[in-house]
Amino acid sequence: MSDTAVPMLWSGDLPSTLAFYQALGYTVTYEQSRPYVYGAVEGHGCALHFAPAPPGVELPTEHVGALVMVDDVAARHADFTTALRAHYGKIPAKGMPRITRFRPGQSRFSLVDPVGNTLLVIQRDEPMDVEYGGSRALTGLARVLDNARILRDFKNDDKAAARVLETGLRRFATAASAPERARTFAALAEIAVATEEPERLAHWRAELDAVELTTEEHAALSADTAASAVLATWLTTTAPGRGGAARPGDG
């Protein structure tokens, strides 16, 4: 038989931690409070254990607690989204707990539990040679877009991605193609939704709408141009029967 490694994460408040994973579909397989706190959950063939930090040791919040390799990362994100919306009334996208957004083509997302443990959920066959931005095969605004994609999708740093895109526009907009400019405006509009900046959203949507594209270019960029609206819907849609949205941590 092969060995099995089981991540042991910081428990913090064990009951709320276990309740969070139960909401995601995990089963509590062990829970004790004496002589020391310890708990475990299992789901999808994966076990997670929770124990308090050693005395005198302060663990940093939101450290990566475990990598979880899955066969279908898009489906898992959709399942977790449904479960979290049902549990909290809407998607917890900020603070703790939270789940990061997911765009078509991504190979990973992050899940942060109520005490700050972070599960990095990764597509099992994610390429080993992922290009982490600024591909040498690209130039100008196309390379800027590639760099911003990594900041947004892999590092979850929307502010840095926005800075890179805006700097790229100042440097390369004149020489860039219409589709490249449209993709950049669309990316900035999506980030404005994520960072809750309606004025910036209106500005970048106006810039996007002003770009003249052919019918074929419109079709090719449909996912990009719709991204801000899709994200807004994902963030604001409430669970059926919940009426008002609950705050993360409620329930």
Side-chain angles (χ1 to χ4, degrees), residues 18-78:
L18 297 180
F20 174 77
Y21 288 97
Q22 279 184 299
L24 290 172
Y26 288 82
T27 298
V28 175
T29 57
Y30 192 80
E31 181 177 5
Q32 74 171 37
S33 58
R34 295 180 181 178
Y36 55 88
V37 174
Y38 199 92
V41 299
E42 186 167 348
H44 312 283
C46 173
L48 301 171
H49 287 214
F50 304 92
V57 175
E58 291 190 14
L59 295 177
T61 57
E62 299 193 24
H63 60 293
V64 175
L67 304 180
V68 179
M69 315 303 290
V70 301
D71 292 328
D72 189 338
V73 70
R76 185 63 56 83
H77 188 271

